[in-house]
Amino acid sequence: MRTLISTAFISLDGVVEGPGGEPGYRNSGWTFKDVEFLPEAFEIKGREQKEASAMLLGRTSYEAFSPVWPDMEDFADYKVMPKYVVSTTLAEDDLVSNWGETTILRSLDEVAALKETEGGPIIVHGSASLNQALSDAGLIDRYHLLVFPLLLGAGKRLFSGTDKDTQKLKLVEHEAYANGLQKNVLDVVR
């Protein structure tokens, strides 16, 4: 079974919306506007590209990333990696042609089936709604969280507000940085 890893830039109050400057969010760009950049705090982002064997995205994040990430040197390893987009509305002709093999999955059952295949870890970037659905369905195995020392108030959250049983997490790696960022790698305890 493949490991499904959710990776996120997240505010202390759980917001994941608009970290890189995406339009339409009041606090857009909060990861670089309000916190000093320290390269060592982002080491995990490079490691994720080397360790992952596939990327999983929701439609909205795919539509935001696919015009930009294929040509960015920072994301070169992702260009050749198989990508999966979970969407009930995206069509094959909506997919970009310069970002490698991309498959549309129509349901969480298809994500569960993907996890049962041979291969290495699958990484989920962005995709707030998809992350909530995956978490609620018990499909996420690990979280890579870079927690920013900010309270953003309103905005899309990584975790849903669904009333459910407690889900225990085990901290397997952590570090705090001089700029206030915290790296937390947590495994989901089953």
Side-chain angles (χ1 to χ4, degrees), residues 38-59:
L38 293 178
E40 60 271 22
F42 296 90
E43 169 275 333
I44 193 168
K45 305 317 284 175
R47 187 170 16 131
E48 288 170 348
Q49 285 189 66
K50 300 295 184 201
E51 294 175 356
S53 65
M55 187 186 320
L56 180 70
L57 299 164
R59 178 194 50 81

Side-chain angles (χ1 to χ4, degrees), residues 21-33:
E22 300 80 358
Y25 175 56
R26 178 176 178 239
N27 293 317
S28 188
W30 50 270
T31 58
F32 59 85
K33 286 181 184 174

